[in-house]
Amino acid sequence: MIQQELRIYNSLTKEKEVFKPITPGAVGMYVCGPTVYSNVHMGNCRTFLSFDLVFRYLRHLGYKVRYVRNITDAGHLENDADSGEDRIAKKARIEQLEPMEIVQRYTVDFHQIMAKFNALPPSIEPTATGHIIEQQRIVQEILDKGYAYEKNGSVYFDVLKFNQDKAYGKLSGRKLEDMIANTRELAAQSEKKNPQDFALWKKAEPEHIMRWPSPWSDGFPGWHLECTAMSTKYLGDNFDIHGGGMDLKFPHHECEIAQAEASTGINPVNYWMHANMLTLNGKKMAKSTGNNILPDELFSGNNDILSKAFAPTVAKFFMYQAHYRSILDFSNDALIASEKGYLRLMEAFGMIDELRAGTSSDYDVAAWKQSCYDAMNDDFNSPILIAHLFDAAKLIHAVAEGNQQLNAADIALLKQTMHDFMFEVMGLEAVGNGGGDTDKLDKTVGLLIELRNQARANKDFATSDSIRDQLAEAGIQLKDSKEGTTYSLK
């Protein structure tokens, strides 16, 4: 296919640019994956689902895509300033487990959640611990070219030296002189020549569990170095797309650019893409404040934030109703509205086969189809695509009611196009695959709650308690409050 002109917003140039892959017909894409020390949260999921949409659409256009998304299983310290414990090692110490047990547990959780969202797996999913040799090689290359220095067994990237020859800060728009002026850390407090320098290799303290031998010390790689090593190993020194969350733009992605340019001398990535954050009830999601919800809590309804359970495909549809570069607020009302829209769309799609074909068409289905492509070609604008799909739903109802007509060819084109964008590009799942089950469950449990309320009003507490207890045995927990009774799945 690939005759569509796709434009991508490039975070590096701050402009939408016509996408021109390095190799015609093929795309190399790298996305920063999770650090597997805890359950993946909804904010993470939004980023990975944003790039699932990109991956799916590129494949739909006919590109051969090599999608690389890493697993960070070592080297990610608590503090981006190269201090604190390794996040995985800390969790292992707290839970008295081997670090690789922590890695395995949360990698499995991540894969299971992505599968529930019907996200496609990447082409390659490398781990940081599986690429220690490649990381050490890059450290040596950067040392050999004079852009790094060794101190007490650790190796640091020399940002000031690099900035004399290249431009450090071009992705985030930060100027090095401003960063230096705003830094309060004294040089004497650190091994680094300058506070802006970052670790390529860290010497392991005696208590540090995860360590590997190297020419400099028994230690571990810097977090930024891991992605440079894995992206270039599988995609080459210069590749098409690098994605990740907006929070990774600085310092992580900025450091990636510097490392790659220092080691190879060339620009590593042509198009940088960043997905924006997810808020909850208007506030930043954070485990520390309790303003947070995990995917399984969303799917089961077992939480104190939402009034009911929502199917993964509904949550995915909700996220695609906002552009990936915009902040999206997660709230009960917004999810309920999105679920209604999702069910309306699925219902309309299910009606297509029952439409009676006319002798002619009074709606330009081909032009509508191109409008769907135009939306996605405009930096993967899923909310505009969804608006066009709702236009199709209105058309289907109008044809069913005899207010408009379509010929057989246009009905077939409408069905194929809706199928392609709903199921192939967005990866939604049909009602029969679980999407509409929540609606049926709501109605069934709602009826039982109503019967229970009537029994309580009549002081028939035996019946009331029986309904509650039998629902509990079936895995449905009722919650009584001043606002009424809601339920969650145990």
Side-chain angles (χ1 to χ4, degrees), residues 29 46-60 67 119-120 316 319-320 322-324 376 379-383 385 421 424-427:
M29 180 171 79
R46 188 195 180 190
T47 295
F48 300 129
L49 291 177
S50 294
F51 288 102
D52 185 59
L53 182 72
V54 172
F55 181 35
R56 284 172 173 275
Y57 187 60
L58 290 170
R59 294 201 339 168
H60 174 72
Y67 174 22
L120 296 174
K316 187 179 192 181
M319 286 188 263
Y320 287 163
H323 190 266
Y324 77 89
M376 288 299 290
D379 194 33
F380 309 97
N381 202 324
S382 57
L385 168 65
F421 282 101
E424 186 178 313
V425 173
M426 288 195 288

Side-chain angles (χ1 to χ4, degrees), residues 20-143:
K20 295 180 180 177
I22 297 164
T23 303
V27 178
M29 180 171 79
Y30 184 89
V31 172
C32 290
T35 300
V36 283
Y37 72 101
S38 64
N39 296 106
V40 63
H41 60 71
M42 288 304 301
N44 301 138
C45 292
R46 188 195 180 190
T47 295
F48 300 129
L49 291 177
S50 294
F51 288 102
D52 185 59
L53 182 72
V54 172
F55 181 35
R56 284 172 173 275
Y57 187 60
L58 290 170
R59 294 201 339 168
H60 174 72
L61 290 181
Y63 287 105
K64 181 180 179 182
V65 186
R66 176 176 287 178
Y67 174 22
V68 182
R69 186 184 66 208
N70 72 298
I71 294 287
T72 295
D73 57 354
H76 194 170
L77 303 184
E78 295 176 285
N79 192 311
D80 284 340
D82 299 321
S83 62
E85 277 190 87
D86 181 290
R87 298 183 186 204
I88 291 162
K90 180 180 180 180
K91 191 67 174 273
R93 177 175 57 78
I94 291 170
E95 298 197 15
Q96 295 185 318
L97 296 170
E98 282 289 329
M100 284 301 120
E101 285 184 84
I102 297 296
V103 166
Q104 180 70 6
R105 174 192 297 175
Y106 294 114
T107 300
V108 169
D109 169 73
F110 173 61
H111 288 156
Q112 288 175 340
I113 294 299
M114 287 295 102
K116 288 178 182 178
F117 277 119
N118 195 31
L120 296 174
S123 316
I124 303 173
E125 193 173 49
T127 63
T129 56
H131 295 76
I132 299 296
I133 293 172
E134 289 85 352
Q135 293 172 76
Q136 291 181 357
R137 178 183 56 77
I138 293 175
V139 173
Q140 191 61 57
E141 287 175 353
I142 296 173
L143 278 167

Side-chain angles (χ1 to χ4, degrees), residues 306-361:
L306 305 174
S307 64
K308 61 188 287 296
F310 292 92
T313 195
V314 169
K316 187 179 192 181
F317 181 69
F318 165 72
M319 286 188 263
Y320 287 163
Q321 286 185 286
H323 190 266
Y324 77 89
R325 286 192 290 113
S326 64
I327 294 174
L328 174 61
D329 188 52
F330 218 70
S331 71
N332 191 68
D333 289 347
L335 279 163
I336 288 173
S338 188
E339 182 179 57
K340 289 177 180 176
Y342 162 83
L343 293 170
R344 192 164 71 247
L345 201 58
M346 289 295 171
E347 178 196 29
F349 182 75
M351 292 169 58
I352 295 178
D353 288 338
E354 306 302 320
L355 296 181
R356 181 175 297 177
T359 55
S360 63
S361 296

Side-chain angles (χ1 to χ4, degrees), residues 89-298:
K90 180 180 180 180
K91 191 67 174 273
R93 177 175 57 78
I94 291 170
E95 298 197 15
Q96 295 185 318
L97 296 170
E98 282 289 329
M100 284 301 120
E101 285 184 84
I102 297 296
V103 166
Q104 180 70 6
R105 174 192 297 175
Y106 294 114
T107 300
V108 169
D109 169 73
F110 173 61
H111 288 156
Q112 288 175 340
I113 294 299
M114 287 295 102
K116 288 178 182 178
F117 277 119
N118 195 31
L120 296 174
S123 316
I124 303 173
E125 193 173 49
T127 63
T129 56
H131 295 76
I132 299 296
I133 293 172
E134 289 85 352
Q135 293 172 76
Q136 291 181 357
R137 178 183 56 77
I138 293 175
V139 173
Q140 191 61 57
E141 287 175 353
I142 296 173
L143 278 167
D144 292 344
K145 293 183 179 179
Y147 293 118
Y149 55 92
E150 185 265 336
K151 184 77 172 179
N152 298 328
S154 293
V155 181
Y156 296 98
F157 190 91
D158 193 332
V159 170
L160 270 65
K161 176 69 167 62
F162 174 80
N163 198 58
Q164 292 172 4
D165 304 322
K166 305 278 187 178
Y168 181 80
K170 60 187 176 184
L171 178 65
S172 60
R174 303 187 185 203
K175 294 185 181 298
L176 186 56
E177 51 267 31
D178 293 339
M179 287 188 260
I180 293 171
N182 293 330
T183 301
R184 296 175 182 172
E185 180 184 338
L186 298 176
Q189 295 176 327
S190 171
E191 296 177 332
K192 301 176 185 179
K193 290 181 181 178
N194 299 285
Q196 287 70 36
D197 296 348
F198 56 90
L200 298 173
W201 185 266
K202 284 282 284 183
K203 180 181 179 180
E205 297 299 324
E207 67 274 11
H208 198 97
I209 307 171
M210 305 176 80
R211 58 174 66 215
W212 291 265
S214 80
W216 317 287
S217 65
D218 277 7
F220 54 93
W223 173 42
H224 311 309
L225 183 65
E226 298 171 2
C227 287
T228 297
M230 290 183 278
S231 62
T232 55
K233 178 179 176 68
Y234 297 108
L235 299 174
D237 291 340
N238 173 235
F239 56 94
D240 297 302
I241 297 172
H242 192 315
M246 196 76 76
D247 57 318
L248 297 180
K249 188 182 289 187
F250 187 90
H252 186 52
H253 291 161
E254 200 75 76
C255 295
E256 278 192 62
I257 292 174
Q259 290 166 160
E261 290 187 345
S263 69
T264 67
I266 62 173
N267 171 45
V269 179
N270 290 355
Y271 303 86
W272 283 90
M273 297 179 66
H274 290 92
N276 216 323
M277 66 189 295
L278 196 64
T279 58
L280 180 60
N281 293 323
K283 298 177 183 177
K284 183 179 178 181
M285 278 196 186
K287 292 179 183 177
S288 58
T289 63
N291 194 53
N292 181 59
I293 186 167
L294 295 175
D296 278 334
E297 294 172 340
L298 172 74

